[in-house]
Amino acid sequence: MTGDVAVGVSNAGTRQVATGATAFRIASLTKACTSTALVLTMRERGIPLDTAVRELLADLDWRADPGITVEHLLGQVSGLRESVDAATAAALGDGPDALTEAARLVAGAGNDRAPGTRWSYYNGNYFLAGAILAALHDAPFETAVRRTLLDPWHLSRTTFETPGDAVTGWDGDTQLPHTAYPRARRPSGGLWSCVPDLLTFGERLIADDVLVKTIRGPRTRPDDPMTYGLGWAVGPHGQLYLNGRLPGYRAAMLLVPEREHVSVVLANQQDALPAAARLLSDLQRPLTGDDLADAIDGFAA
């Protein structure tokens, strides 16, 4: 069996990194970046998170519930009909309007339930969130993320383009070729990154008390399958965690804000997630007393 694993831990800014800055696909860890960029943008412009989405994307043919807000999208509680799958989004191509067209399809599909009544993990929420970020910056989504998050936070190795040193993914003993990630899906899972950048991302996030309080406030109900904030699952002691899965890659990340703890595992082997989840859980357990291995492994990405 072949594969590389990169691990990093930051405790109060003191780092231990098991590897260098090798680039891995981080899959749904991208959602945390999209969410943070949009929250920062709206905060800077004085736009409340409970603003209706159709006010910010007025050009779409809006057939979904008019009460859907930005925080409903980021919290995965919009109730949108989950009709725009990966293949549909990929078929939109990689032109400059691909994300707008994906958002149009999501908005035109309507709702299955009222906003705020049930958590359900749906990438379409983040297609709309990415389109909002692009619209607020009057720029492509990728540019908006770079302008708002990647450049100001010095995440210089985090990119939507395949880096020259990107590791190859593996499924058991089978090497998987690099494939393009559809542009319409980029807000939900398109980034490449490395352990040092993700540690910086976590450190910068938890250093902003207002930002981390906003992001980890639960948007879910007690009977939902998990507690979820804005782009992150929320643990019993306020931990933030998530995982990402793409063919050939697994990624997982965990924050304990009050203890200034950030930990990250990146792997280019499809069966690596259970071990990665156990490692992250073990790293935070002395700080919280919680066993989160099953929760991290079972996260819905």
Side-chain angles (χ1 to χ4, degrees):
M1 185 173 295
T2 303
D4 295 320
V5 178
V7 180
V9 183
S10 172
N11 287 306
T14 299
R15 294 186 178 185
Q16 295 178 301
V17 179
T19 63
T22 305
F24 293 75
R25 285 199 180 277
I26 63 168
S28 284
L29 271 63
T30 301
K31 290 184 178 69
C33 297
T34 298
S35 177
T36 300
L38 185 51
V39 170
L40 287 172
T41 294
M42 295 181 72
R43 184 172 78 177
E44 290 167 359
R45 300 177 184 216
I47 304 171
L49 288 171
D50 63 359
T51 300
V53 175
R54 70 173 184 170
E55 293 182 19
L56 302 172
L57 295 175
D59 292 340
L60 298 187
D61 181 13
W62 193 263
R63 299 181 185 179
D65 192 302
I68 295 175
T69 67
V70 174
E71 64 183 339
H72 284 141
L73 297 179
L74 299 180
Q76 301 276 15
V77 292
S78 65
L80 286 162
R81 181 166 295 119
E82 300 177 14
S83 61
V84 183
D85 60 15
T88 302
L92 297 173
D94 291 314
D97 296 326
L99 178 56
T100 300
E101 291 308 308
R104 192 181 310 280
L105 291 175
V106 173
N111 273 60
D112 281 331
R113 62 186 69 86
T117 59
R118 184 69 175 169
W119 180 87
S120 185
Y121 194 89
Y122 175 40
N123 285 332
N125 287 309
Y126 276 75
F127 301 164
L128 284 172
I132 292 168
L133 184 63
L136 290 175
H137 284 268
D138 191 23
F141 165 73
E142 299 86 349
T143 301
V145 173
R146 173 76 51 196
R147 182 184 295 168
T148 307
L149 182 70
L150 304 185
D151 285 348
W153 286 19
H154 306 293
L155 307 179
S156 60
R157 297 277 295 142
T158 303
T159 176
F160 290 102
E161 304 303 322
T162 303
D165 66 343
V167 299
T168 301
W170 292 80
D171 179 3
D173 295 323
T174 302
Q175 185 175 5
L176 304 179
H178 286 313
T179 57
Y181 195 87
R183 192 169 186 183
R185 297 179 57 198
R186 284 184 174 180
S188 69
L191 281 171
W192 294 83
S193 192
C194 61
V195 164
D197 268 21
L198 290 172
L199 291 178
T200 298
F201 173 58
E203 291 165 349
R204 292 291 299 263
L205 196 161
I206 62 180
D208 187 327
D209 291 340
V210 174
L211 179 60
V212 77
K213 182 179 179 181
T214 299
I215 283 175
R216 75 172 175 180
R219 271 59 177 193
T220 44
R221 295 157 61 107
D223 60 343
D224 274 318
M226 70 171 59
T227 304
Y228 196 84
L230 302 183
W232 296 81
V234 182
H237 283 90
Q239 304 98 322
L240 297 174
Y241 66 90
L242 70 167
N243 74 44
R245 315 177 197 212
L246 282 171
Y249 299 91
R250 295 293 184 263
M253 186 169 180
L254 183 142
L255 315 180
V256 185
E258 282 75 17
R259 303 300 293 270
E260 298 181 71
H261 171 90
V262 182
S263 50
V264 180
V265 179
L266 303 178
N268 67 334
Q269 177 57 255
Q270 286 199 175
D271 64 359
L273 188 54
R278 170 53 59 193
L279 176 57
L280 292 186
S281 181
D282 289 347
L283 288 168
Q284 62 82 50
R285 193 167 186 174
L287 307 176
T288 68
D290 297 326
D291 184 349
L292 293 178
D294 288 345
I296 297 167
D297 184 22
F299 181 76

